[in-house]
Amino acid sequence: MERGMFCLPSLLLLAWICGFVSVARADLSYTVQEETKRQSVIGNIAKDLGLDVKRLSARKARIDTEDSARRYCDVNLGSGNLIVAETIDREELCGSRTSCVLNYELVLENPLEVHRVSLQIEDINDNAPRFPNDRITFEISESADKGQRYPLDEAHDSDMGQNTVQGYSLERNEHFALSVRENAERGKYAELVLEKELDREQQKEMNLILTATDGGSPQKSGTVVIHINVLDANDNAPVFSQSVYRVTLAENAPLDAGVVTVSATDADEGANGDVTYEFSRISDRAAKLFSIDKISGEIKVIGNIDYEEETYYEMRVQAKDGPGLASTAKVVIDITDVNDNSPKIVLKSLNDPIPENAAVGTEVAIINVQDKDSGDNRQIRCSIQQNAPFKLNPSIKNYFSLVTTSVLDREKEADYNITITATDGGSPPLSSSLTIHLSVSDVNDNPPVFDEQSYSAYLAENNKPGTSICSVTARDPDWRQNGTVLYSLVSSEVNGVPVSSFLSINADTGVIHAVRSFDYEQFRNFKVQVVARDNGSPPLSSNTTVSVFITDENDNSPQILYPAPEGKSLMTEMVPKAALSGSLVSKVIAVDADSGQNAWLSYHIVKSTDPGLFRIGLHSGEIRAQRDISESDSMKQNLVISVKDNGQPPLSTSCSVYLLISDNLAEVPELKDMTYEESSSKLTSYLIIALVSVSTFFLTFIILILAVRFCRRRKPRLLFDGAVAIPSAYLPPNYAEVEGAGTLRSSYNYDAYLTTGSHTSDFKFIRSYNDNTLPAGGTLKMCQDDPFGSSMNNADSDEVREVIHL
């Protein structure tokens, strides 16, 4: 029971392996006649193997030869038919061999399958029998006995089976008959039989026609002339020392090398015992390779002997004496193999280029290794160089798959030259090599990489729009479009303003430009993100930060905070009369919006009432007495101070400092005059301008009133005749006064009406709107359905009245 349980899984495993092998390899056999026309259908391979015809092309179905010989058939990928590719001549391919079989392999990929295809070549009667010589000569003694037999040359037909020589016939005559027999190889041969004695005195010689016919349809024949000389008696035919001569001959034997020497003896003497040798039956191919010496019987090599073309040769040799008696012997020459063929590596399939992201174990190529030799000379070992990420996996029969052993990286190695070496097992061994050039196609597996992790750009303020700030560079080791880098700015805001309002970037070069002019006093620095994106699918990208720093320029003049600028207020500093040298009198305070050395300020007195009385600190702005105050010094001192920055070029601002040397204001009766002496001239100018403006307005108003009076008297019905509604385009606009921005404190809107039937055109403002009834920006619209005259009151009024609600 335990043994049965153990054997059952083994049997199942064996059945599964057999089923797998049958799927991976199957033998097909077809028969086709020689000389069949090209493109003729032999059979349907797809149907016989159960293959999907639609997938034959995708699986790269093809017919391969086992030894790289000529291919006489092919597969039609559209129909799955096995068709004739080249016209087949069975005699040329197989010579005298009874069976003529061509072996091929049907190879399919994805997955790899190899099926053996045997093509049996069927003979047709396309060759006529032929004799080795055009003439057969006999010398027969007139004393020859009745019934004497004379062997004739055997006719040779390159066809096989029924199509070869099946019979002989002899021209009708009174002396000889024909006897047809079979030899040990079941071949037909003929003998000439003497039926009536010869009489040399009546006929010294005669010619007979011998005809050989085959069994094909239509039947073919060949003839030879038998020439007979009537002589004296010849009693014995030559006899070979062996009936069969069997020798071995190494291929590639040199020309004129001796193969074998046949020997026959004749018991007769003189000319009747002289023996000559010739081939009585030999194939066309063998006739090109071997010759026989007529006298010695030595067979020599006259052509190139190749084991891969034919492994043995068989022929018949005839020994004939002088009068014509003959006998035959068979010669068999076995060819031995020599390791004279190097292995041949055939590339059957190549996936070039291969993507760099191909998985480990991806099939790159399929190769087939062939060697025409036999035995150990045909045993082949394949190897590959060690420094390549590939290996050879043995597959079916002599097929090998070239697969990857590690991940490929085009950026490190874009091309491979893979050398495959095949070595046979001969002595000495022969080898051959095949180099496969394989390209690695690019995959977008590398994002662009910036040269620097971050960039800093410095830009002077007050730049021109479009000024180049800096350039960023990213590199992508991928190829072509996968390595093409495009630049863009990441959408963001700087102080609530889109970054695109500040900067732009050239998508191709990465050069960053300023879109606007910058002010250092508003922006001192900001950061933007730049994206470098390749053009692959899908695209890959990386970011970098660009810090933009605005550098200061001397574009701001110093601003004086104290004393206040002229025109706003006038300030006077009191200096005690007892002030000593070095005493602090006042201080000028100024600032500069610039920075750095552009904001370094220096103070200078450019004008003073008494130049030697006061001095100012160069950088502090402190005004101090340069000497002691004396009674002779003027009471009112005026200093003009210049404040200058340290920029290039420097900018400056000046101010006036008024000093009063006194201990009591009561001592200064003319202080008021001094305070307003400069502003009085400005006030006078303003009064003159106001007077001129009022006078001009008054005269214009008087002229306008007179013009209106004059026009009403000349055209009393100029505008309207009866109650006609004024179009909305002629309505007065709304007047709105923003609170506190003008002279009016409320918003006023008026409706205008005209009297009907009046001889004058009178306007009456009878309605007003304030802010509580209509917004300041609104528009008052009149209804066009109401008659214009229905809203009029006091039609005969000649005055214009204005009602204003304050």
Side-chain angles (χ1 to χ4, degrees):
M1 182 65 180
E2 293 179 356
R3 180 176 299 177
M5 293 179 63
F6 175 76
C7 293
L8 181 58
S10 301
L11 292 174
L12 291 176
L13 178 61
L14 179 61
W16 180 82
I17 293 175
C18 294
F20 174 77
V21 172
S22 65
V23 173
R25 184 178 182 88
D27 290 344
L28 298 175
S29 180
Y30 296 96
T31 301
V32 61
Q33 287 186 345
E34 64 170 330
E35 306 296 338
T36 301
K37 293 182 179 180
R38 296 178 61 183
Q39 301 300 316
S40 298
V41 177
I42 301 173
N44 192 293
I45 277 188
K47 181 178 179 181
D48 295 340
L49 290 176
L51 300 174
D52 186 0
V53 176
K54 298 179 180 178
R55 285 189 45 79
L56 290 179
S57 179
R59 296 188 65 182
K60 300 179 181 179
R62 60 187 179 273
I63 295 293
D64 285 341
T65 59
E66 292 185 344
D67 54 359
S68 300
R70 192 172 181 181
R71 188 176 62 193
Y72 290 94
C73 63
D74 204 350
V75 61
N76 188 318
L77 299 181
S79 61
N81 289 329
L82 184 67
I83 60 175
V84 176
E86 296 289 343
T87 303
I88 304 172
D89 187 351
R90 195 202 69 82
E91 290 74 35
E92 180 183 350
L93 290 174
C94 301
S96 60
R97 282 180 290 177
T98 304
S99 176
C100 185
V101 180
L102 301 180
N103 293 317
Y104 298 103
E105 292 177 342
L106 174 66
V107 181
L108 300 102
E109 299 181 15
N110 299 320
L112 178 64
E113 292 184 24
V114 178
H115 302 277
R116 186 183 181 90
V117 179
S118 298
L119 197 62
Q120 180 76 38
I121 310 302
E122 190 177 77
D123 184 49
I124 65 172
N125 191 27
D126 58 340
N127 293 281
R130 64 184 182 275
F131 290 89
N133 299 299
D134 295 336
R135 186 183 181 96
I136 302 175
T137 302
F138 287 103
E139 294 181 351
I140 303 176
S141 174
E142 61 179 344
S143 62
D145 295 333
K146 185 179 178 180
Q148 183 74 37
R149 292 176 176 270
Y150 300 94
L152 299 174
D153 292 349
E154 186 177 348
H156 174 67
D157 194 325
S158 298
D159 296 323
M160 299 300 296
Q162 190 67 23
N163 296 325
T164 191
V165 177
Q166 297 298 320
Y168 296 89
S169 62
L170 183 66
E171 178 186 2
R172 182 181 295 273
N173 65 93
E174 61 177 333
H175 293 282
F176 294 95
L178 190 67
S179 175
V180 180
R181 295 186 176 186
E182 283 189 1
N183 55 28
E185 290 81 21
R186 302 185 65 83
K188 303 283 185 179
Y189 71 95
E191 291 180 340
L192 197 62
V193 181
L194 181 63
E195 290 187 340
K196 182 181 178 181
E197 292 83 356
L198 300 174
D199 188 350
R200 188 173 185 277
E201 286 72 21
Q202 292 181 0
Q203 191 175 4
K204 293 183 178 180
E205 59 182 28
M206 63 182 69
N207 290 318
L208 303 177
I209 302 299
L210 176 65
T211 303
T213 57
D214 61 23
S217 179
Q219 190 179 63
K220 295 181 181 294
S221 62
T223 61
V224 67
V225 175
I226 302 176
H227 181 74
I228 300 174
N229 292 321
V230 181
L231 300 174
D232 288 334
N234 180 29
D235 299 330
N236 298 285
V239 178
F240 279 98
S241 60
Q242 297 175 222
S243 61
V244 177
Y245 292 86
R246 194 175 196 100
V247 295
T248 58
L249 177 67
E251 66 172 331
N252 300 329
L255 297 179
D256 292 330
V259 180
V260 65
T261 300
V262 296
S263 176
T265 59
D266 193 316
D268 295 324
E269 295 180 358
N272 294 335
D274 293 337
V275 180
T276 58
Y277 304 91
E278 64 182 9
F279 291 120
S280 64
R281 181 182 177 187
I282 188 170
S283 66
D284 295 339
R285 179 177 294 178
K288 298 176 182 180
L289 300 177
F290 302 100
S291 67
I292 187 169
D293 188 282
K294 290 186 177 183
I295 304 302
S296 65
E298 184 181 15
I299 298 176
K300 293 184 177 182
V301 176
I302 62 172
N304 183 28
I305 308 299
D306 192 348
Y307 174 87
E308 287 70 42
E309 291 184 1
E310 196 66 63
T311 59
Y312 77 97
Y313 295 93
E314 184 177 311
M315 60 201 74
R316 296 192 72 84
V317 178
Q318 177 180 266
K320 184 184 294 186
D321 61 15
L325 296 180
S327 62
T328 61
K330 184 168 69 172
V331 177
V332 178
I333 303 173
D334 292 317
I335 309 301
T336 58
D337 184 40
V338 174
N339 190 28
D340 59 340
N341 291 282
S342 299
K344 184 177 182 181
I345 304 173
V346 182
L347 181 63
K348 296 294 185 180
S349 177
L350 177 62
N351 297 324
D352 182 38
I354 182 173
E356 60 177 326
N357 62 346
V360 176
T362 298
E363 188 176 78
V364 176
I366 297 175
I367 64 170
N368 177 242
V369 184
Q370 304 169 357
D371 195 319
K372 294 182 179 181
D373 296 322
S374 61
D376 291 339
N377 298 333
R378 194 170 184 169
Q379 300 300 316
I380 303 172
R381 303 183 306 274
C382 288
S383 61
I384 191 173
Q385 73 262 34
Q386 299 297 320
N387 58 346
F390 304 95
K391 70 176 181 178
L392 285 173
N393 285 339
S395 187
I396 303 171
K397 205 177 179 182
N398 290 331
Y399 284 85
F400 294 84
S401 296
L402 182 66
V403 299
T404 60
T405 58
S406 62
V407 178
L408 305 178
D409 190 347
R410 192 204 66 84
E411 288 70 41
K412 293 182 178 179
E413 195 73 39
D415 298 278
Y416 290 94
N417 289 319
I418 307 167
T419 301
I420 300 172
T421 303
T423 306
D424 62 23
S427 180
L430 299 179
S431 62
S432 60
S433 299
L434 173 67
T435 300
I436 300 175
H437 180 77
L438 182 65
S439 299
V440 181
S441 62
D442 186 48
V443 174
N444 192 29
D445 57 346
N446 291 283
V449 178
F450 283 96
D451 291 348
E452 301 180 20
Q453 293 183 351
S454 61
Y455 292 81
S456 297
Y458 295 88
L459 176 65
E461 65 173 331
N462 303 322
N463 59 285
K464 292 182 180 180
T467 301
S468 174
I469 297 178
C470 70
S471 176
V472 296
T473 303
R475 307 181 192 279
D476 194 321
D478 292 324
W479 195 45
R480 289 189 175 176
Q481 66 177 15
N482 294 334
T484 301
V485 180
L486 299 176
Y487 303 91
S488 61
L489 298 176
V490 177
S491 297
S492 60
E493 293 184 351
V494 177
N495 294 341
V497 180
V499 71
S500 58
S501 300
F502 296 98
L503 301 176
S504 66
I505 189 170
N506 188 302
D508 297 322
T509 63
V511 177
I512 300 176
H513 299 272
V515 175
R516 53 173 286 182
S517 178
F518 290 94
D519 189 350
Y520 174 83
E521 287 69 40
Q522 294 181 359
F523 284 103
R524 297 199 175 187
N525 61 78
F526 59 91
K527 294 182 179 181
V528 294
Q529 291 283 329
V530 177
V531 178
R533 180 177 289 104
D534 60 29
N535 207 23
S537 179
L540 301 178
S541 62
S542 60
N543 294 8
T544 189
T545 301
V546 178
S547 299
V548 180
F549 298 93
I550 310 301
T551 59
D552 184 46
E553 285 194 346
N554 192 30
D555 59 342
N556 291 282
S557 301
Q559 183 179 357
I560 299 176
L561 303 180
Y562 182 85
E566 296 181 7
K568 293 186 177 180
S569 62
L570 193 61
M571 302 178 65
T572 303
E573 297 280 352
M574 291 191 64
V575 179
K577 292 181 179 181
L580 299 177
S581 174
S583 300
L584 179 62
V585 175
S586 181
K587 183 174 182 178
V588 177
I589 302 175
V591 294
D592 195 315
D594 295 323
S595 64
Q597 67 178 9
N598 295 330
W600 296 350
L601 301 181
S602 60
Y603 302 85
H604 308 274
I605 299 176
V606 296
K607 184 179 179 181
S608 64
T609 305
D610 189 347
L613 186 56
F614 299 99
R615 59 181 173 85
I616 188 170
L618 180 63
H619 300 294
S620 63
E622 295 178 347
I623 301 175
R624 296 179 179 273
Q626 193 168 354
R627 57 179 176 81
D628 296 341
I629 303 299
S630 63
E631 292 292 338
S632 61
D633 293 328
S634 174
M635 182 178 295
K636 294 183 290 183
Q637 295 287 334
N638 185 11
L639 304 179
V640 177
I641 308 299
S642 174
V643 183
K644 183 186 301 183
D645 60 26
N646 199 34
Q648 292 295 329
L651 301 178
S652 62
T653 305
S654 61
C655 65
S656 297
V657 177
Y658 299 98
L659 300 177
L660 183 62
I661 300 175
S662 175
D663 294 328
N664 189 355
L665 288 176
E667 299 177 356
V668 191
E670 297 179 356
L671 180 61
K672 181 178 180 180
D673 296 338
M674 181 188 70
T675 303
Y676 297 101
E677 63 181 358
E678 293 187 2
S679 61
S680 61
S681 60
K682 293 183 179 180
L683 180 60
T684 302
S685 299
Y686 294 152
L687 291 176
I688 293 173
I689 293 172
L691 181 60
V692 172
S693 300
V694 171
S695 300
T696 303
F697 177 75
F698 178 74
L699 291 175
T700 303
F701 180 74
I702 295 299
I703 293 171
L704 181 61
I705 293 297
L706 294 176
V708 171
R709 292 278 184 182
F710 179 74
C711 291
R712 281 192 303 178
R713 291 178 181 177
R714 291 182 57 86
K715 296 180 180 180
R717 305 181 64 86
L718 181 61
L719 294 177
F720 298 100
D721 187 4
V724 179
I726 299 176
S728 61
Y730 289 95
L731 294 176
N734 298 331
Y735 292 87
E737 178 70 23
V738 181
E739 184 71 27
T743 57
L744 298 179
R745 300 183 60 187
S746 299
S747 300
Y748 294 91
N749 298 289
Y750 303 96
D751 288 336
Y753 301 91
L754 296 179
T755 59
T756 60
S758 174
H759 295 288
T760 61
S761 298
D762 297 338
F763 287 88
K764 180 177 292 185
F765 296 86
I766 65 172
R767 188 177 303 169
S768 68
Y769 301 92
N770 57 26
D771 293 337
N772 295 326
T773 60
L774 184 66
T779 303
L780 183 62
K781 297 183 179 179
M782 296 301 298
C783 181
Q784 297 182 357
D785 296 335
D786 295 336
F788 188 83
S790 63
S791 300
M792 293 191 177
N793 295 317
N794 300 326
D796 296 332
S797 176
D798 294 333
E799 297 180 356
V800 178
R801 294 179 298 170
E802 180 178 344
V803 181
I804 302 175
H805 297 280
L806 299 177

